[in-house]
Amino acid sequence: MNSGITKRSVLITGRKTSISLEDMFWHALKDIAAEQRTSATALLVQINQKRGNTNFSSAVRQFVMAYYINLVNDLRKNTTSSLGDCDAGTQSAGVTLAPLPATLL
């Protein structure tokens, strides 16, 4: 996977806009869309509607990170495997995962 930034044009609510993201974020966005049984474009529309004054590319990165952080938090709540008995917001291996605002998801 190339770590370079890829610029793509997308049609959001009838308006063509460009978005620049690292390849890993494009792949993650597509994976999240598949998991939610929707399209990447549909997710981009939702992100655009909720982003406020945040740069669109930054809002997409925040959405992807929030998705995966919440996934890890859910795993921590539901397992006692190698993650140990940690809830969301606790510290493990020097990293604190705090619950994220629902507006990012």
Side-chain angles (χ1 to χ4, degrees):
M1 180 181 331
N2 183 2
S3 64
I5 294 178
T6 302
K7 187 173 192 171
R8 295 190 181 153
S9 293
V10 293
L11 192 62
I12 304 290
T13 60
R15 189 174 145 232
K16 191 174 181 180
T17 188
S18 63
I19 180 170
S20 299
L21 293 173
E22 294 79 4
D23 288 341
M24 71 169 50
F25 285 101
W26 284 117
H27 290 289
L29 186 71
K30 289 177 185 178
D31 288 345
I32 294 167
E35 177 69 27
Q36 295 184 358
R37 294 191 170 109
T38 190
S39 68
T41 301
L43 282 181
L44 290 171
V45 168
Q46 291 175 20
I47 294 165
N48 187 55
Q49 290 171 345
K50 295 179 181 180
R51 72 182 169 110
N53 293 328
T54 303
N55 170 283
F56 192 32
S57 297
S58 295
V60 173
R61 287 184 190 95
Q62 290 174 24
F63 170 83
V64 168
M65 288 300 300
Y67 179 88
Y68 286 111
I69 289 171
N70 283 328
L71 184 65
V72 168
N73 284 337
D74 288 346
L75 286 171
R76 285 179 168 196
K77 289 177 189 174
N78 296 320
T79 187
T80 57
S81 65
S82 61
L83 292 174
D85 284 330
C86 299
D87 345 270
T90 61
Q91 194 165 9
S92 176
V95 177
T96 300
L97 297 178
L100 293 164
T103 56
L104 293 177
L105 294 177

